[in-house]
Amino acid sequence: MKSYKKVLLAYSGGLDTSIIIPWLKENYDNCEVIAVSGDVGQGTELDGLEEKALKTGASKLYVEDLTKEYIEDFIWPCLKAGAKYEGTYLLGTSHARPIIAKRLVEIAKAEGCDAICHSCTGKGNDQVRFELTFKALAPEMDVIAPWREWDIKSREEEIDYAEAHDIPLKINRETNYSKDKNVWHLSHEGLDLESPANEPNYDKILELGVSPEKAPDVPTYITIGFEKGVPVSLDGQKMGAVELVTKLNEIGGANGIGIIDIVENRLVGMKSRGVYETPGGTILYHAHEVLETITLDKETMHFKPIVAQKYADLVYNGQWFTPLREAMDAFVDATQQTVTGEVKLKLYKGNIINAGVTSFYTLYDEVTASFGEDEEYNQADAGGFINLFGLPIKVKAKLDQERAAKLNK
């Protein structure tokens, strides 16, 4: 193996990174290991990390608060674009990786590191997301990916390694779900979830809320305000990005909102099953889509989902720092200039029900749309429109009849 003097490790304190610190020192000539944890809203998962990192061999630990930047610079662009991977997944893990990787690069350069190490497996998407960011922001930096190098083949063997090296863990073999948590979502994979035939045990799994069956028997009404596609208020009260998402997570979770059980197509070629909790995000996506129904013209509204799908693919595939994503942001931002207004929603047992939408920039004209009389729409004009719009259909039918008549002679 190549020799390194100083390696920066993307450190979460979970199973993988807990054993990587001693593994790096054992396999890379007792190199110095600097651990970096990107705080994107993991909450209590960061408790006690410094003591643990230093005890297992790191020379220092950085804990970087990236939550506000994460929401404003990575989540809001996806929300404005309407980006959902395969029409369902709200990219909770996907857009958390580039901001963490960006900070890793900045600290690695400041510390004079020879390489950056991550704990992503060779089967997952995250290895691509981290390393494409490294390539974009530090093409000269070497990357160490233990899962592509070591002899460990499973999480059970990782636990064996940890126990042999006296590394404390917060998990055990029976509750060894693979989880990823941040301010936007919580994902669950592994164990019984690996078989799509198994129904998830939500009483055992859910952490951000309750199942729809256990939600209150009365609805909860909320009103979300947007400015140029960005959510800025809840029930008339202005809120910052972190406060707003956190509050909507609480409200949505309590009402059984935002739980999905999906099989997705990973970038590396396999299908993967997981359960995702995204209560606040699900509410925001729904509200944003409702507001766009009255503020976007028909052609823009019909074209935007094409952009949304490509945008989601780019984010999912780790291509955040690319010219195409930046160019698509320019298009999306242009569409959002009039996406300002308020959306009222009713939350009830996992359902989000529209309860009203208003905007200064509305394109909905009650007079024109009314079934009553108005001076702007002459219903007689519809006859000429239908004649022209249906002309190709009429001509084909006429010619088909003439051909059929000739063939039957």
Side-chain angles (χ1 to χ4, degrees):
M1 291 184 178
K2 190 173 180 179
S3 178
Y4 297 107
K5 292 183 179 179
K6 186 183 293 188
V7 176
L8 182 139
L9 170 64
Y11 184 75
S12 68
L15 175 59
D16 295 329
T17 57
S18 294
I19 69 172
I20 283 177
I21 294 177
W23 181 88
L24 282 171
K25 300 181 80 67
E26 288 175 0
N27 290 273
Y28 286 94
D29 299 325
N30 199 35
C31 62
E32 181 182 356
V33 177
I34 296 176
V36 178
S37 293
D39 181 0
V40 285
Q42 298 95 311
T44 57
E45 289 184 7
L46 298 173
D47 293 349
L49 280 195
E50 183 173 14
E51 179 182 358
K52 185 175 183 179
L54 298 180
K55 185 177 180 180
T56 51
S59 62
K60 66 175 70 171
L61 170 71
Y62 288 84
V63 178
E64 301 292 294
D65 185 358
L66 307 173
T67 310
K68 182 174 183 291
E69 181 185 356
Y70 171 42
I71 298 175
E72 293 180 345
D73 295 349
F74 292 80
I75 294 177
W76 286 170
C78 292
L79 172 67
K80 291 189 291 183
K84 302 177 185 178
Y85 183 67
E86 297 187 332
T88 307
Y89 171 44
L90 301 186
L91 303 166
T93 300
S94 307
H95 48 37
R97 297 304 178 247
I99 184 174
I100 294 173
K102 172 175 170 285
R103 189 63 183 129
L104 294 177
V105 167
E106 292 168 349
I107 295 176
K109 289 182 176 181
E111 285 282 354
C113 294
D114 306 302
I116 299 177
C117 177
H118 65 73
S119 64
C120 309
T121 74
K123 286 186 175 182
N125 300 308
D126 281 347
Q127 59 183 334
V128 181
R129 296 166 184 155
F130 274 110
E131 293 186 38
L132 291 193
T133 301
F134 298 158
K135 290 179 184 298
L137 305 181
E140 76 286 354
M141 189 75 66
D142 283 354
V143 177
I144 301 173
W147 270 103
R148 303 202 299 256
E149 298 180 18
W150 61 22
D151 295 329
I152 297 173
K153 302 300 182 185
S154 67
R155 291 175 68 80
E156 287 70 23
E157 290 184 13
E158 285 186 288
I159 294 174
D160 291 339
Y161 184 97
E163 292 175 347
H165 289 74
D166 296 322
I167 299 171
L169 299 174
K170 295 182 179 180
I171 64 172
N172 57 52
R173 297 177 192 273
E174 288 70 37
T175 61
N176 189 19
Y177 282 110
S178 176
K179 300 181 182 183
D180 180 77
K181 183 180 181 182
N182 59 46
V183 70
W184 188 245
H185 92 151
L186 173 61
S187 66
H188 310 265
E189 295 177 324
L191 297 181
D192 55 308
L193 297 179
E194 290 189 344
S195 172
N198 295 329
E199 179 182 4
N201 183 345
Y202 289 127
D203 291 338
K204 178 181 178 182
I205 293 175
L206 298 181
E207 297 180 25
L208 300 185
V210 298
S211 64
E213 295 90 342
K214 294 193 173 182
D217 293 329
V218 294
T220 298
Y221 283 89
I222 59 172
T223 300
I224 301 173
F226 289 83
E227 292 180 3
K228 294 185 176 182
V230 174
V232 295
S233 67
L234 177 61
D235 295 332
Q237 180 181 350
K238 290 283 187 178
M239 290 187 181
V242 177
E243 182 185 8
L244 181 58
V245 172
T246 301
K247 187 62 178 178
L248 285 175
N249 277 337
E250 295 173 2
I251 297 171
N255 284 277
I257 304 294
I259 304 165
I260 61 171
D261 175 8
I262 61 172
V263 174
E264 68 196 63
N265 290 292
R266 283 186 179 175
L267 174 60
V268 294
M270 71 187 70
K271 290 183 181 290
S272 173
R273 192 269 187 101
V275 170
Y276 297 86
E277 300 180 65
T278 320
T282 301
I283 294 171
L284 288 172
Y285 263 74
H286 185 104
H288 183 263
E289 290 168 1
V290 170
L291 184 56
E292 286 190 327
T293 64
I294 67 168
T295 56
L296 295 186
D297 65 278
K298 175 184 175 180
E299 294 303 321
T300 300
M301 191 170 177
H302 285 195
F303 183 75
K304 193 163 175 277
I306 301 173
V307 175
Q309 179 177 331
K310 183 60 179 178
Y311 199 107
D313 286 346
L314 287 177
V315 177
Y316 187 87
N317 294 342
Q319 296 169 296
W320 184 272
F321 293 100
T322 58
L324 178 56
R325 200 273 307 166
E326 294 173 359
M328 293 174 77
D329 269 348
F331 165 79
V332 170
D333 285 343
T335 70
Q336 299 298 292
Q337 295 307 301
T338 59
V339 185
T340 296
E342 290 190 330
V343 181
K344 186 177 181 180
L345 301 172
K346 178 167 66 174
L347 311 179
Y348 183 67
K349 289 190 174 297
N351 297 290
I352 304 176
I353 304 165
N354 299 344
V357 55
T358 59
S359 173
F360 176 77
Y361 299 101
T362 183
L363 299 177
Y364 184 90
D365 183 1
E366 292 184 35
V367 174
T368 302
S370 172
F371 284 102
E373 289 293 326
D374 69 90
E375 297 180 357
E376 295 184 19
Y377 190 93
N378 184 347
Q379 296 194 33
D381 291 343
F385 165 74
I386 294 170
N387 286 337
L388 292 177
F389 188 66
L391 184 60
I393 298 173
K394 180 179 179 179
V395 169
K396 180 181 183 301
K398 178 183 176 182
L399 294 176
D400 284 347
Q401 288 177 348
E402 292 176 357
R403 281 187 285 267
K406 291 178 181 179
L407 290 172
N408 291 330
K409 285 184 177 179

